[in-house]
Amino acid sequence: MNQIEQLISEMTLAEKASLCSGADFWHTEALDRLQIPAFMLTDGPNGLRKQAGKADHVGLNESIPATCFPTEVTLASSWNRALIEEVGAALGAEAKAEKVGVVLGPGANIKRSPLCGRNFEYYSEDPYLSSQLAKHAIQGIQSQGVGASVKHFAANNQEHLRMVLDVQVDERTLREIYLASFETAIKEGQPWTVMTAYNKVNGDYCAENTHLLKEILRDEWDFEGVVVSDWGGVDDRVASLEAGLDLEMPGNQGINDQKIIAAVQSGALSEAVVDTAVARILRLAFRVQEQMQSVTDDSVTHHQLARKAASESFVLLKNEAQSLPVASDKKVALIGRLLEEPRIQGGGSSRVNPTMMDTVQEQIHMKLTEEGAASYYPGYLLNEDTDADLIQEAVAGAAAAEIALVFLGLPQHYESEAYDRQHLQLPVNQTELLAAITEVQENVVVILANGGPIEMPWLSSVKGVLETYLAGQAMGGAVADVLFGDVNPSGKLAESFPMKLSHNPSFLNFPGEKQQVAYREGLFVGYRYYDKTETEVLFPFGHGLSYTNFEYRQVTVDRKELTDEEEVTVSVTIQNTGQRSGKEIVQLYVQEVNSQVIRPLKELKGFEKVALEAGEAKVVQFKLGKRAFAYYDETRHDWCVTSGFFNLLIGSSSQTILGSQQVYVTSTAVHQLKFDRNSLIGDLAKTPAGKQVLQQMNLAPEPSDPADSNDTQLMDEMTNKMPLRSLVTLSGGRFSEETLTHIIETLNANG
Ligand code: BGC
């Protein structure tokens, strides 16, 4: 008996039940009699939200000061694994200094719709990118001896009715998109905990979902940590324990403990199930205790890290006539109320109380030489009222300047946890202001603060657009660094910007009806849809500009043929052909040439961010194995590759493919084809025994004119697509029912 088993054997049932839920809002239960410590869990993911006073899970009450790092949507645009790990480590260090055992993050949900109110807390519309980044965030946090809680498992893609919503999603889509976004993060990131989502998936609450928690998370992915509920996300506590939910948070005043006790006493629940959950919770409690030493963290260093992370994540969406960077001797008009009241983070449970704040104005003043000047004009109100005086002042200021830097974005109440966005537009008073400014000034650059895509009907009227998303407490310094060229922008979009909301594939059934939402677009989320339907987007997934240029050449592969048990290495040379150092995000997409199953046109399967001095060239390599080529086969319940050609596409965005190679991948899987009366005659050719039967049968009647290839094709198509049972009815007596039964038995026996 190990120590944990020993302890459990000494516990009463009531003690065990009490450990399965929190003691209060943020702490687990202690059991002093057996020296079992309690520990604290708290939000995440873009900074610590430790509430010393009154507790809540929607960010209403004050928390202790902590570094407000850029939100996930911003960080994701860095596509920089190491950077995200570094930010995770800093967050972990702050948690440890505050004696927090588990940080509730990162969020790894897919951005199904740009309307989801919480998209700023998630990374991407693409599961490969999202899972890679979540993995590194987890590893960063946990490098400090603090647990991460990857959330919200799974398919939590909208806020509307999040606590009761039933997500209807087919298994293949679930596996390839929504679960894939967690899979690598969990298998390779090894989070200490996984947080279940509030919603149901295919009829069962995630907290009670045996398929998600037991069959996939535990049995397939070998997850050994603690599964914790989202706050208040448990309906039937007994069913959730049975499905594999260990810890219910927050505490339930003993109500659910009583249900657990009663279920064990009545025989409805095996005590062994409770023991398993308790064992996992104890292992976590001791793990946290072991790591709990006193450390101090350095808020100044973390602020600098927040600035570096933000500036590396900003996406330069447009830069006509090299309007950016701004020279330091320019006369600049700084316009926009958001300069005074910056939006640096989203609303809800992730809200951090920043340790300090940079302001854009101060930071820009520091960049200017004596010849330069910057004047500020609010231009609009954040309450959306149009103020003609403010517009007039800003227009006069813009006309008098050499360049207008216009700071626009979504007011706080436009996007938040607990509700979704209504549309993708900027407030009208902001676009009115912009229109007036572009009348008098031709050098206009828009700097955006928003948690997700917006429509930009005004795009052609401005020279440049810099997307900063929600960039954390050092946003001011980071913006100044990029606008004035001390940092060369290197972020790329981790999501598509549609031209209009109605172009988004989930538009017709978001946010669902009658407490249900059906993911009818299936696999075709984000660029997977825009690509396939040739729908023009405003900015594609993976897009982002730099102040320098990169050239892509020599895409090569180390083999042209491989089996699905082997790997292929793809190489490409990238050269910085411009005048200043910069970073490029090189993307690798895989495209099956003639797929037998319905697939997206291409899918991201690799990316690397590479730093290059002016003139420097580097070779970037990617390794691709089976999963890069596979799809999830619902009938075989497995990842499968069909033998065939695949294009390996190297690009600087999902729509700028700059080189490619083709490989042939052979499937090694021996999938025994089972035949019955309704199997197709054409399928016989897929097995050796079937081929023999085909030869013996010599089925196809002679076409009327052998030279007429049309006839031949017609006959072949007709015959191949007939069910085997047609042999009896259409063979003019050559096949009896008995013969057919015999053939099917022989086929299934011989494979
Ligand atoms: C959110 C979680 C958060 C928890 C605790 C819930 O409302 O969905 O993401 O970690 O509250 O604040």
Side-chain angles (χ1 to χ4, degrees), residues 606-619:
F607 65 89
E608 285 304 328
K609 189 162 196 175
V610 51
L612 295 165
E613 294 302 323
E616 195 186 1
K618 279 186 188 160
V619 175

Side-chain angles (χ1 to χ4, degrees), residues 26 43 49 57 118 151-152 162 195 198 230 417:
W26 300 120
D43 288 299
R49 186 176 68 102
H57 63 121
R118 228 175 159 182
K151 65 190 187 184
H152 310 89
R162 64 177 177 161
M195 185 194 291
Y198 280 132
D230 197 347
E417 178 173 343

Side-chain angles (χ1 to χ4, degrees), residues 530-570:
Y530 302 120
D531 263 10
K532 190 97 171 183
T533 54
E534 298 178 0
T535 306
E536 196 191 341
V537 291
L538 189 59
F539 295 108
F541 175 81
H543 166 79
L545 305 172
S546 165
Y547 296 154
T548 187
N549 296 310
F550 300 99
E551 192 182 290
Y552 285 57
R553 48 174 200 269
Q554 286 162 327
V555 177
T556 57
V557 282
D558 65 343
R559 61 205 312 165
K560 287 291 231 177
E561 286 178 22
L562 65 149
T563 70
D564 61 5
E565 286 171 347
E566 294 167 332
E567 282 186 337
V568 55
T569 303
V570 192

Side-chain angles (χ1 to χ4, degrees), residues 25-26 42-45 49 56-59 104-105 118 121-122 151-152 156 159 162 195-196 198 229-232 348-350 417:
F25 214 80
W26 300 120
T42 202
D43 288 299
R49 186 176 68 102
D56 72 86
H57 63 121
V58 280
L104 304 176
R118 228 175 159 182
E121 275 193 71
Y122 304 138
K151 65 190 187 184
H152 310 89
N156 184 175
E159 290 301 285
R162 64 177 177 161
M195 185 194 291
T196 53
Y198 280 132
S229 72
D230 197 347
W231 265 232
S349 64
S350 65
E417 178 173 343

Side-chain angles (χ1 to χ4, degrees), residues 73 111 113-120 157-160 343 409-427 449-455 467 469-470 495-498 501 507 510-511:
V73 62
K111 301 182 196 219
S113 163
L115 292 178
C116 172
R118 228 175 159 182
N119 273 356
F120 66 86
N157 312 104
Q158 67 185 58
E159 290 301 285
H160 178 70
R343 272 206 72 210
L410 301 180
Q412 179 75 47
H413 63 276
Y414 267 46
E415 47 188 353
S416 169
E417 178 173 343
Y419 57 89
D420 296 311
R421 291 168 68 187
Q422 300 295 312
H423 54 73
L424 300 188
Q425 290 144 27
L426 283 176
N450 45 306
I454 55 165
E455 293 167 5
E467 176 59 85
Y469 285 118
L470 303 175
E495 61 188 338
S496 312
F497 273 43
L501 172 62
F507 179 70
F510 183 93

Side-chain angles (χ1 to χ4, degrees), residues 564-744:
D564 61 5
E565 286 171 347
E566 294 167 332
E567 282 186 337
V568 55
T569 303
V570 192
S571 309
V572 55
T573 302
I574 313 292
Q575 183 167 15
N576 180 346
T577 55
Q579 303 302 314
R580 54 168 82 217
S581 59
K583 293 180 182 172
E584 172 67 334
I585 298 162
V586 186
Q587 300 157 46
L588 169 59
Y589 297 86
V590 173
Q591 172 177 62
E592 185 163 5
V593 177
N594 277 319
S595 181
Q596 291 170 31
V597 292
I598 294 168
R599 291 190 88 159
L601 219 55
K602 60 178 181 298
E603 297 183 273
L604 183 78
K605 297 295 172 183
F607 65 89
E608 285 304 328
K609 189 162 196 175
V610 51
L612 295 165
E613 294 302 323
E616 195 186 1
K618 279 186 188 160
V619 175
V620 177
Q621 289 199 325
F622 303 93
K623 275 195 189 317
L624 297 177
K626 177 174 176 182
R627 262 305 271 278
F629 303 103
Y631 69 97
Y632 189 82
D633 189 313
E634 290 181 87
T635 48
R636 293 177 190 145
H637 307 290
D638 203 0
W639 294 91
C640 295
V641 175
T642 37
S643 301
F645 288 102
F646 289 83
N647 291 330
L648 311 180
L649 312 171
I650 298 282
S652 61
S653 87
S654 62
Q655 289 194 3
T656 315
I657 301 303
L658 298 163
S660 72
Q661 281 285 342
Q662 195 171 81
V663 292
Y664 189 88
V665 184
T666 309
S667 166
T668 53
V670 195
H671 297 297
Q672 181 96 11
L673 253 185
K674 285 284 172 211
F675 289 94
D676 59 35
R677 294 169 58 75
N678 289 303
S679 302
L680 299 185
I681 291 178
D683 282 345
L684 290 175
K686 291 182 183 163
T687 71
K691 272 188 185 153
Q692 265 183 16
V693 171
L694 266 183
Q695 276 162 11
Q696 285 160 16
M697 291 192 303
N698 190 18
L699 280 170
E702 291 294 304
S704 44
D705 173 0
D708 188 336
S709 63
N710 220 354
D711 280 4
T712 316
Q713 188 188 355
L714 183 134
M715 290 312 299
D716 284 352
E717 290 284 338
M718 285 221 349
T719 314
N720 285 337
K721 287 179 187 142
M722 274 180 191
L724 293 180
R725 66 181 145 78
S726 306
L727 292 174
V728 178
T729 46
L730 300 179
S731 66
R734 276 169 65 207
F735 289 91
S736 64
E737 282 287 357
E738 290 70 32
T739 324
L740 178 64
T741 309
H742 177 70
I743 289 176
I744 291 172

